[in-house]
């Protein structure tokens, strides 16, 4: 772990202090502090003045303390192997974010605030617009019909990409130290140790599969390394060193299961990858379905190496479910979809991974992904102004890319969030940065406003229900502008007052058992 703390401790002021109890000089310092905090929250603090005067923080002069050495972002993703379809996207996201930060750009947001928007009357159509699967220009195939109804609509701030006033972080260039995990969990541990011990990175951003995260998290905790896990995942990680910025089951499984039960019927059949992501997400699906009148009639767990699904398809056909939950990942398991379509399987599908990550609706011939439903926080087709601007910036740098997926967007805004927090903290010292990140941050990401919950180190996200039609074009049939990561809070997790280093599972939640229907 890089130790870049400053021993020049000059002043510490409690922002909750009563001004009447402060001396004249302290009052003046407090006014200066509040002014600097306001500038920093907008990303405009000058590099030499980026001081932090928050409770339990130490005052630092970053330039004197840290010189001109680069800020090192350690980065591990699968640039090759079975998971490279996701890893390359995430690498490009990190490269774009680092480029923008070094050019003096940032995303709007700050501690506890967001860009917001305007509630106004607007003319709306009966149906949502349908976005073409072709290309990356987000062409509208169907605009939803005549605008016959006027209702209150929300118009979010489209202009969220702004000047930071700081080229790099605190005047220091940002360097991306990237290594290839090669879809090999054993290699991930070696690479994590190298980045932490040898390269002495300031922050680690790493991991697609939960197995990769769990392979390196003991090493992260051993060295108290600041770590961002940017993937959608099964949830439950409560770790004082780890910040999980992707969506979790309460934000994805619950909305899509409720929708599927209401629209198609109670009987679901789960197909899941056979490792902790698939197993725990399937457990969430099974635990939650009875609460909305549903039932999981069967579960199958498929090894990541499997690419032939004829027997699985036969069992699904025989069971005749109302819908199928597919939690399949990697290039091997994605072969389920064209094989199921060829076999005439037409059950409605739900997922938390497909389309938004592996862009199967673009890679496979229709109708392989027809009637696929996914509660996503981001995918390329989101038709907002801010996302169109993001896609344009991305494609200017990577014109050969076919897609920008959910995990890539998470990586992008996470690295911008790290830069914003460092500017406010006035340092990249890791212990101080963890406290800075626990202030409660909002950032205006391409998906919409994202809020980093201080106590659980997870994010509230804008969730949309994406549906692919027979042609694999996409529409969003329901929006939840912000779903909080509430589950760990319900279990009593507060990493600020009680640091811990474990992963909780649905079996540890008594509420599911309390409200489940008795057999």
């Amino acid at each position: 772990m890089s130790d870049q703390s400053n021993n020049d401790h000059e002043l510490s002021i409690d922002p909750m202090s009563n001004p009447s109890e402060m001396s004249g000089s302290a009052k003046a310092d407090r006014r200066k502090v509040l002014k600097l905090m306001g500038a920093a929250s907008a990303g405009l603090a000058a590099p030499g003045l980026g001081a932090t005067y928050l409770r339990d923080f130490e005052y630092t002069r970053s330039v004197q303390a840290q010189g001109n050495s680069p800020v090192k972002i350690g980065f591990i993703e699968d640039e090759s192997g079975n998971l490279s379809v996701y890893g390359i996207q995430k690498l490009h996201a990190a490269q774009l974010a680092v480029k923008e930060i070094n050019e003096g750009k940032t995303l709007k947001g700050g501690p506890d605030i967001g860009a917001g928007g305007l509630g106004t009357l607007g003319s709306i159509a009966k149906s949502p617009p349908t976005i073409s699967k072709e290309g990356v220009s987000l062409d509208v195939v169907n605009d939803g019909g005549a605008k016959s109804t006027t209702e209150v609509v929300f118009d979010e701030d489209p202009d969220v990409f702004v000047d930071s006033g700081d080229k790099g972080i605190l005047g220091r260039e940002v360097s991306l130290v990237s290594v290839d995990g090669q879809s090999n969990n054993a290699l991930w541990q070696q690479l994590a140790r190298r980045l932490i011990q040898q390269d002495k990175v300031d922050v680690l951003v790493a991991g697609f599969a939960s197995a990769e995260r769990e392979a390196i998290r003991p090493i992260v905790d051993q060295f108290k390394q600041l770590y961002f896990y940017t993937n959608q995942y099964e949830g439950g990680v409560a770790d004082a060193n780890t910040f999980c910025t992707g969506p979790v089951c309460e934000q994805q499984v619950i909305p899509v299961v409720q929708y599927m039960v209401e629209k198609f019927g109670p009987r679901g059949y789960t197909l899941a990858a056979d490792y902790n992501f698939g197993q725990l997400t399937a457990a969430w699906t099974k635990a939650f379905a009875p609460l909305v009148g549903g039932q999981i009639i069967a579960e199958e767990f498929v090894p990541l190496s499997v690419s032939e699904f004829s027997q699985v398809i036969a069992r699904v056909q025989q069971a005749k479910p109302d819908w199928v939950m597919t939690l399949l990942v990697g290039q091997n398991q994605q072969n389920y979809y064209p094989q199921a379509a060829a076999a005439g399987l037409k059950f409605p599908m739900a997922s938390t991974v497909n389309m938004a990550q592996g862009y199967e609706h673009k890679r496979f011939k229709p109708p392989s992904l027809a009637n696929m439903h996914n509660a996503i926080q981001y995918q390329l087709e989101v038709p907002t102004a801010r996302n169109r601007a993001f896609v344009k910036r991305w494609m200017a740098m990577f014109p050969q890319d076919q897609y920008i997926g959910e995990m890539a967007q998470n990586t992008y805004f996470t690295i911008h969030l790290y830069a914003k927090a460092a500017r406010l903290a006035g340092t990249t010292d890791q212990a101080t940065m963890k406290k800075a990140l626990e202030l409660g941050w909002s950032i205006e990401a391409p998906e919409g406003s994202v809020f980093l919950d201080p106590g659980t180190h997870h994010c509230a996200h804008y969730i949309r229900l994406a549906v692919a039609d027979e042609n694999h074009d996409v529409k969003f049939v329901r929006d939840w502008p912000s779903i909080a990561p509430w589950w760990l809070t319900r279990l009593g997790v507060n990493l600020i007052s009680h640091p811990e280093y474990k992963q909780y599972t649905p079996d540890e939640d008594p509420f599911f058992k309390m409200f489940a229907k008795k057999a």
Side-chain angles (χ1 to χ4, degrees):
M1 180 175 71
S2 177
D3 183 6
Q4 296 177 321
S5 60
N6 184 12
N7 293 322
D8 184 18
H9 311 319
E10 296 188 357
L11 181 65
S12 177
I13 295 178
D14 183 348
M16 301 306 292
S17 299
N18 186 340
S20 65
E21 298 173 355
M22 301 166 62
S23 67
S25 60
K27 289 179 183 177
D29 282 331
R30 186 175 186 275
R31 287 192 295 270
K32 180 180 178 183
V33 167
L34 295 176
K35 182 177 180 181
L36 286 172
M37 285 173 60
S41 70
L44 299 175
L49 296 177
T52 300
Y53 295 77
L54 300 168
R55 187 191 300 273
D56 297 329
F57 276 46
E58 295 176 345
Y59 174 80
T60 63
R61 282 199 180 100
S62 62
V63 174
Q64 290 93 327
Q66 297 164 332
N68 295 318
S69 60
V71 177
K72 294 182 181 180
I73 298 178
F75 191 81
I76 317 173
E77 289 297 346
D78 298 309
E79 300 171 37
S80 60
N82 186 37
L83 302 176
S84 62
V85 68
Y86 319 110
I88 295 297
Q89 291 183 57
K90 298 183 76 174
L91 173 63
H92 287 181
Q95 291 171 335
L96 176 60
V98 167
K99 171 180 177 289
E100 292 174 349
I101 291 166
N102 283 331
E103 291 175 347
K105 293 293 186 179
T106 188
L107 298 172
K108 284 184 179 179
D112 298 317
I113 62 170
L118 176 68
T120 185
L121 290 176
S123 296
I124 64 171
K126 181 179 179 180
S127 301
T130 301
I131 309 301
S132 174
K133 70 177 177 63
E134 301 298 334
V136 294
S137 59
L138 281 69
D139 293 329
V140 176
V141 176
N142 185 320
D143 66 0
K147 312 299 187 293
S148 58
T149 304
T150 298
E151 295 183 4
V152 175
V153 296
F154 179 76
D155 183 25
E156 67 179 7
D157 188 345
D159 184 19
V160 298
F161 188 60
V162 296
D163 292 335
S164 68
D166 176 20
K167 289 195 173 182
I169 296 177
L170 303 169
R172 300 163 58 199
E173 182 182 9
V174 179
S175 174
L176 187 69
V177 185
S178 174
V179 291
D180 180 8
Q182 300 178 30
S183 305
N184 181 337
N185 291 347
L187 179 61
W188 273 72
Q189 295 183 326
Q190 299 174 30
L191 295 175
R193 289 188 179 276
R194 174 195 138 181
L195 290 174
I196 295 170
Q197 294 180 278
Q198 179 179 322
D199 295 302
K200 299 188 183 302
V201 298
D202 296 288
V203 60
L204 181 64
V205 181
F208 173 80
S210 293
E212 294 169 342
R213 180 197 67 242
E214 291 306 293
I216 67 173
R217 198 160 58 83
I219 300 169
V220 165
D221 291 335
Q222 177 187 354
F223 292 99
K224 297 182 173 61
Q225 173 67 48
L226 172 58
Y227 170 44
F228 284 105
Y229 179 63
T230 64
N231 241 56
Q232 169 271 351
Y233 85 112
E234 70 281 356
V237 170
D239 189 311
N241 299 307
T242 301
F243 291 80
C244 300
T245 56
V248 285
C249 286
E250 60 264 42
Q251 296 163 319
Q252 293 190 290
V253 170
I254 288 177
V256 78
V257 168
Q258 183 167 6
Y259 185 88
M260 299 303 283
V261 170
E262 290 176 355
K263 188 170 180 64
F264 300 110
R267 303 172 73 252
Y269 192 117
T270 297
L271 300 176
D274 192 13
Y275 71 106
N276 53 343
F277 160 72
Q279 293 159 358
L280 291 178
T281 307
W284 264 91
T285 304
K286 188 174 183 178
F288 180 74
L291 275 65
V292 291
Q295 176 191 6
I296 301 303
I297 61 173
E299 295 175 311
E300 289 200 43
F301 297 97
V302 184
L304 288 172
S305 59
V306 170
S307 59
E308 204 286 318
F309 287 89
S310 59
Q311 293 183 12
V312 172
I313 291 167
R315 286 191 287 271
V316 175
Q317 285 176 320
Q318 185 176 8
K320 293 182 172 58
D322 295 316
W323 49 278
V324 180
M325 174 67 95
T326 63
L327 304 168
L328 304 173
V329 302
Q331 297 184 53
N332 293 329
Q333 293 193 349
Q334 289 163 0
N335 287 300
Y336 166 81
Y337 301 101
Q339 291 176 25
L345 212 63
K346 294 186 177 181
F347 300 113
M349 294 180 287
S351 183
T352 67
V353 290
N354 299 122
M355 294 195 296
Q357 297 184 34
Y359 58 102
E360 297 87 353
H361 62 299
K362 291 178 75 73
R363 295 190 294 114
F364 293 146
K365 183 179 178 181
S368 300
L369 266 285
N371 221 3
M372 168 62 78
H373 302 72
N374 192 350
I376 58 98
Q377 118 276 3
Y378 177 85
Q379 63 184 59
L380 173 74
E381 291 85 1
V382 172
T384 59
R386 67 169 62 182
N387 183 50
R388 289 177 183 272
F390 167 64
V391 172
K392 186 175 180 179
R393 294 196 305 274
W394 180 296
M395 293 302 165
M397 187 170 180
F398 302 107
Q400 301 305 313
D401 283 4
Q402 293 180 283
Y403 204 70
I404 306 169
E406 193 171 43
M407 307 305 95
Q409 190 249 188
N410 292 345
T411 300
Y412 171 81
F413 81 70
T414 296
I415 292 176
H416 270 292
L417 175 61
Y418 170 80
K420 294 177 79 67
R423 293 185 190 112
L424 180 61
T427 179
T428 55
D429 170 71
Q430 295 192 33
T432 307
M433 279 296 298
K434 291 168 194 173
K435 293 180 181 179
L437 288 163
E438 289 173 342
L439 288 170
W441 284 84
S442 286
I443 189 165
E444 295 300 316
E447 70 178 77
S449 292
V450 176
F451 177 72
L452 178 58
D453 176 64
T456 66
H457 293 186
H458 284 66
C459 288
H461 286 286
Y462 195 126
I463 301 297
R464 298 170 169 91
L465 188 62
V467 182
D469 65 16
E470 289 285 329
N471 298 315
H472 288 187
D473 297 325
V474 174
K475 59 184 176 182
F476 301 96
V477 299
R478 190 168 295 179
D479 284 25
W480 296 268
S482 182
I483 298 181
W486 50 260
W487 185 52
L488 285 175
T489 301
R490 186 167 84 184
L491 294 180
V493 171
N494 187 328
L495 296 171
I496 299 172
S497 61
H498 181 64
E500 51 184 309
Y501 309 90
K502 67 168 289 183
Q503 182 173 16
Y504 290 88
T505 68
D507 289 342
E508 297 173 81
D509 187 344
F511 281 83
F512 284 132
K513 296 177 182 178
M514 183 187 303
F515 295 107
K517 293 180 179 179
K518 300 295 187 290

